Amino acid sequence: MLLYLPAFLIAFGISVGTILLFVLIPYFTQSAGAGKRSETRHAGKEHLSRLGGIGLIFGFGLAVLLDPHLVLTKEILGLLVCSLLILLFGLWDDFREQDWQIQLFFQISLCIIIFLFGVKILSVTNPLGGAWSLEAPMLLLPGFLILSAWILLVLNAVNWLDGLDGLLGGVSLFAFFSIFVLSLKPFVNQPPIAILAAAGLGSVLGFLIFNFHPAKILAGTSGALFLGFLVAVLAVLSGTKIATALLVLALPIADSLFVIWKRFRARASVFLPDTRHLHYRLRDLGWSETRIALFFYTATAAISLIALHTMLLGKLAAILIVLGSVFAFLSYVEWENGYCQVVCINTGELSCFLASDFFLSALLLLSLFLAAPPEKLIVGHEAFTLETARTPEERMRGLSGRDSLCPTCAMLF
């Protein structure tokens, strides 16, 4: 673990030091565009600096550049170049808010740039076995479109979390932690991705210290876009672990799709910000910002547990079940807002509390059900049958003394 500690500590220290500078010196707050934007998502917080993204990007970037164990490959260099572009564009938007067309054009440009730097989806795993390769020249365009769709989905889902204190940083923290743990698993074994995830963990933890309620600084456009882009790209770099990242981010992604559908039905612009998101709906029901943040943390932690303890088929089943549960919960909250808002507030939020408890209990039970060890382990082109040793006696016996032992049998301790 000492291999990954420098990246975490450097990113954390730089993130904290940079953000602390903006928090303590009023000049930076006053010059950060505070009060110069129409804050639909951060109503009542117009006085706060939007320069938190500088600490996030500086912390991550310098940790990557200073880490002696990390080789700057073409893909990692592309990630750093895109991070710098996000910083510049984000500051431009934070000082002078840009139209959604310009923001969408910039996001698509990021997809093109990172693709040119070699970040590609080379195959799509078949749940029934094998994979569909996208390496043929004629499949270059479909591969790019799939990559772009993935990046745009995650980037905006994470970006739209930046509405209440602590949401963006907390959910991103769990996403980076899941990628970090996944990269250390024996059947993945990707130390470079673990170092990048550790740097992301350090930078976002340093930011979260100042962004948890009551927030002293905001991530701004640069910070929100950076965190979403980093999660999306790391999922691709780590052997296209998109299913894992999709499961970890199931709550914000489902919320984003739900909001897009509602905007479409209302004939409103899909790209303009509003207060249809789950965290705003829960706030309308009388929930405090701290309670909303803790709800998102608990739900994301439970889903991350599922993601880290299931193989592909289990992940697909979990994605369907979790997304279904989230959509049901979103529909319930929507109903509460439409018909029971006054009742919830006047009766101490009883029905709202029961709804959130039911949702989290279902996720925890699902995690226990799906967290069983895998029955198959794929190493190269060979599939090994796994048996789990649950007692000290089984561990001592191992695979010895068996009457029949197949060539591809293995035991999980």
Side-chain angles (χ1 to χ4, degrees):
M1 294 299 292
L2 293 178
L3 175 67
Y4 313 104
L5 194 58
F8 174 83
L9 293 178
I10 292 173
F12 177 78
I14 294 174
S15 178
V16 169
T18 305
I19 295 175
L20 188 62
L21 181 68
F22 298 143
V23 171
L24 294 180
I25 301 180
Y27 170 79
F28 288 107
T29 300
Q30 296 168 3
S31 64
K36 301 177 183 178
R37 288 175 46 113
S38 56
E39 287 291 357
T40 304
R41 295 193 296 174
H42 298 286
K45 301 174 185 176
E46 295 85 354
H47 63 287
L48 294 178
S49 169
R50 295 174 55 89
L51 297 180
I54 297 179
L56 283 166
I57 297 174
F58 275 15
F60 174 81
L62 291 177
V64 170
L65 291 173
L66 295 176
D67 193 283
H69 306 101
L70 194 62
V71 177
L72 291 181
T73 62
K74 183 181 178 181
E75 293 83 359
I76 296 177
L77 184 60
L79 180 58
L80 294 177
V81 170
C82 288
S83 299
L84 179 60
L85 293 176
I86 290 173
L87 175 62
L88 297 176
F89 176 82
L91 291 176
W92 182 30
D93 183 72
D94 287 330
F95 280 92
R96 180 173 293 180
E97 189 172 7
Q98 303 303 309
D99 294 333
W100 68 264
Q101 295 94 333
I102 297 178
Q103 298 211 26
L104 181 60
F105 175 79
F106 175 72
Q107 293 178 14
I108 295 175
S109 300
L110 288 176
C111 298
I112 296 174
I113 294 171
I114 200 67
F115 182 80
L116 294 176
F117 270 95
V119 177
K120 302 175 182 178
I121 295 178
L122 300 177
S123 64
V124 177
T125 304
N126 184 352
L128 302 178
W132 296 297
S133 175
L134 298 175
E135 297 188 58
M138 66 180 62
L139 297 177
L140 195 64
L141 179 59
F144 168 72
L145 294 177
I146 294 174
L147 174 70
S148 299
W150 167 249
I151 291 177
L152 292 175
L153 175 65
V154 175
L155 190 151
N156 286 287
V158 174
N159 178 31
W160 287 343
L161 281 173
D162 188 28
L164 298 181
D165 296 347
L167 280 188
L168 173 67
V171 173
S172 300
L173 190 74
F174 283 106
F176 289 133
F177 181 76
S178 299
I179 295 175
F180 175 77
V181 173
L182 181 66
S183 301
L184 297 182
K185 286 182 174 290
F187 58 88
V188 177
N189 191 26
Q190 293 178 316
I193 305 302
I195 292 175
L196 294 175
L201 273 171
S203 63
V204 78
L205 182 61
F207 165 74
L208 190 57
I209 292 175
F210 301 96
N211 185 246
F212 196 78
H213 187 72
K216 299 175 179 62
I217 196 169
L218 302 176
T221 301
S222 58
L225 290 181
F226 167 72
L227 290 177
F229 185 78
L230 183 58
V231 171
V233 172
L234 286 184
V236 176
L237 288 177
S238 60
T240 319
K241 301 301 180 185
I242 291 179
T244 300
L246 179 62
L247 192 50
V248 173
L249 297 174
L251 184 55
I253 287 177
D255 179 47
S256 299
L257 296 176
F258 191 80
V259 169
I260 290 174
W261 170 245
K262 287 189 62 63
R263 291 174 182 173
F264 180 78
R265 288 187 60 187
R267 297 184 179 180
S269 173
V270 173
F271 302 98
L272 293 179
D274 55 32
T275 56
R276 287 185 170 96
H277 290 283
L278 174 61
H279 43 276
Y280 296 125
R281 295 296 189 182
L282 293 176
R283 184 183 62 184
D284 292 341
L285 292 178
W287 289 35
S288 67
E289 293 197 34
T290 300
R291 181 181 177 186
I292 295 171
L294 293 178
F295 166 74
F296 270 77
Y297 296 171
T298 307
T300 306
I303 299 173
S304 299
L305 180 65
I306 300 172
L308 292 173
H309 289 83
T310 52
M311 301 301 284
L312 181 60
L313 284 175
K315 281 187 175 64
L316 292 178
I319 288 173
L320 294 176
I321 296 173
V322 170
L323 287 179
S325 302
V326 173
F327 280 128
F329 181 70
L330 289 170
S331 300
Y332 178 84
V333 173
E334 186 73 14
W335 179 79
E336 285 281 349
N337 272 275
Y339 298 99
C340 302
Q341 181 174 350
V342 176
V343 176
C344 282
I345 295 176
N346 291 340
T347 60
E349 313 166 17
L350 177 61
S351 61
C352 309
F353 175 78
L354 292 176
S356 64
D357 269 18
F358 173 79
F359 176 67
L360 292 179
S361 299
L363 287 177
L364 291 173
L365 290 174
L366 179 64
S367 68
L368 294 175
F369 176 75
L370 293 174
E375 297 180 355
K376 294 283 186 181
L377 176 64
I378 308 298
V379 180
H381 298 287
E382 193 71 49
F384 290 86
T385 302
L386 288 181
E387 177 182 341
T388 304
R390 294 183 173 86
T391 65
E393 292 76 13
E394 290 177 340
R395 295 190 186 98
M396 290 294 295
R397 185 179 61 175
L399 292 173
S400 62
R402 302 298 175 92
D403 294 333
S404 60
L405 185 63
C406 66
T408 57
C409 290
M411 177 166 282
L412 183 64
F413 293 92

